[in-house]
Amino acid sequence: MRRPAHGFAFSRLAPDGATVTELAAHLGVTKQAASQLVDEIVRKGYAERRPHPGDARARLIVLAERGWACTRAAEEAAAEAVQAWVELIGEGEVCVLRERLARIAPYGLIRPAW
C-alpha cells in the first residue's frame, strides 16, 4: 500500500466489499476518481472485482489476500500504538476514550478529509 487513499478505501472494502459508487461516497470523491483508484488497487493485486450478488449490473469490489494482509498489518500497528496508551492510563481509561471518540464520530468508518 503506497497512498493514504488506499487505506481509506480498504477500510470501506474490508467488511463485505463495496461498489464503486459506495466507495466514491465513502471517500467523498467522484465515481470516476473512485473507479481510477479501484483500477489501480485491482491492477496491483490488492482487490478484485466480483459479480454483485444483488445487482446484476454492478460489480462488487472486495479485498484480495494482498489487501487483507495490508489491512491486518494496519490493525496490528494500531493495536501496538494503543498498547502504549493502555500501559500509560490503563485498559479501563482506553475503553472510556474509545466510547467518547465514538460519540464524536458516531458513523463508524474513518473518512478522509481531503
Side-chain angles (χ1 to χ4, degrees), residues 4-113:
H6 292 170
F8 290 113
F10 288 9
S11 73
R12 177 61 184 89
L13 298 176
D16 299 311
T19 64
V20 169
T21 301
E22 292 165 339
L23 186 59
H26 174 72
L27 296 174
V29 299
T30 64
K31 285 191 274 187
Q32 291 81 5
S35 183
Q36 288 175 351
L37 178 64
V38 167
D39 288 345
E40 179 183 357
I41 64 176
V42 166
R43 184 176 66 253
K44 292 181 176 182
Y46 294 112
E48 55 191 44
R49 291 177 177 91
R50 293 188 181 161
H52 193 287
D55 183 350
R57 298 168 297 151
R59 302 288 286 170
L60 190 64
I61 313 306
V62 298
L63 291 180
E65 181 49 42
R66 188 172 187 195
W68 281 113
C70 288
T71 300
R72 285 189 298 273
E75 288 172 354
E76 289 170 10
E80 197 174 297
V82 171
Q83 184 58 39
W85 303 347
V86 170
E87 292 169 9
L88 184 65
I89 65 174
E91 184 70 39
E93 288 296 318
V94 170
C95 288
V96 169
L97 177 60
R98 282 187 181 124
E99 290 169 7
R100 289 182 179 162
L101 290 172
R103 280 191 274 161
I104 293 169
Y107 302 110
L109 297 173
I110 297 172
R111 295 172 184 247

